[in-house]
Amino acid sequence: MEYESADAGDGMIASARDFTADFLTAAPAGGGGTVTRERVDLARLVVSELVTNAVRHAPGPCRVLLELFEDALEISVFDQADVSPVPRAPDPRRIGQHGVEIVVAVCESVSVEPQPTGKRVRARLSLA
């Protein structure tokens, strides 16, 4: 399922979080059950952090692609910047700028792939 918005501001971040929650709430999890509230909340967090990076550090709109597998959700955020996000060293005194650290900590994998007009940041979140 894909989401794109002309709104490249904070409204895009909230809309992408809601889109993710709606998608997972309606989707069956592996084994035919539903995705747990905890996993929905983690997916919303990951989407929020990735879209926030795109909104703050890339020109133009971004696009969110959600791909549901039996045991995982693959979250891709496409933006128009060539620069890859880099996790910063932990610093409890730093306010903000922990987004990539959070995504790396809660996801099974995170990768950055060059695209013809920017990049794709792909994060795989376990639904188990």
Side-chain angles (χ1 to χ4, degrees):
M1 184 127 229
E2 212 167 332
Y3 177 77
E4 185 171 10
S5 173
D7 176 13
D10 290 340
M12 168 73 180
I13 299 163
S15 295
R17 274 193 309 259
D18 293 344
F19 168 75
T20 302
D22 292 345
F23 173 73
L24 286 175
T25 300
T34 58
V35 179
T36 67
R37 186 88 215 124
E38 174 190 296
R39 292 284 124 180
V40 171
D41 289 344
L42 276 176
R44 290 179 78 235
L45 175 63
V46 170
V47 166
S48 182
E49 295 300 340
L50 293 178
V51 172
T52 296
N53 278 350
V55 167
R56 294 210 172 125
H57 303 290
C62 68
R63 183 168 50 102
V64 176
L65 173 65
L66 302 177
E67 298 175 272
L68 187 62
F69 297 92
E70 185 173 321
D71 62 345
L73 174 68
E74 207 161 84
I75 300 163
S76 295
V77 176
F78 298 82
D79 66 40
Q80 298 177 9
D82 296 331
V83 180
S84 295
V86 177
R88 298 175 135 214
D91 181 355
R93 295 169 298 183
R94 184 176 69 235
I95 297 174
Q97 300 180 345
H98 295 279
V100 178
E101 292 172 57
I102 293 168
V103 172
V104 168
V106 301
C107 290
E108 293 178 331
S109 64
V110 179
S111 63
V112 180
E113 304 160 13
Q115 299 290 300
T117 58
K119 69 179 170 299
R120 173 185 193 167
V121 179
R122 186 189 316 236
R124 187 172 180 89
L125 178 68
S126 171
L127 295 177

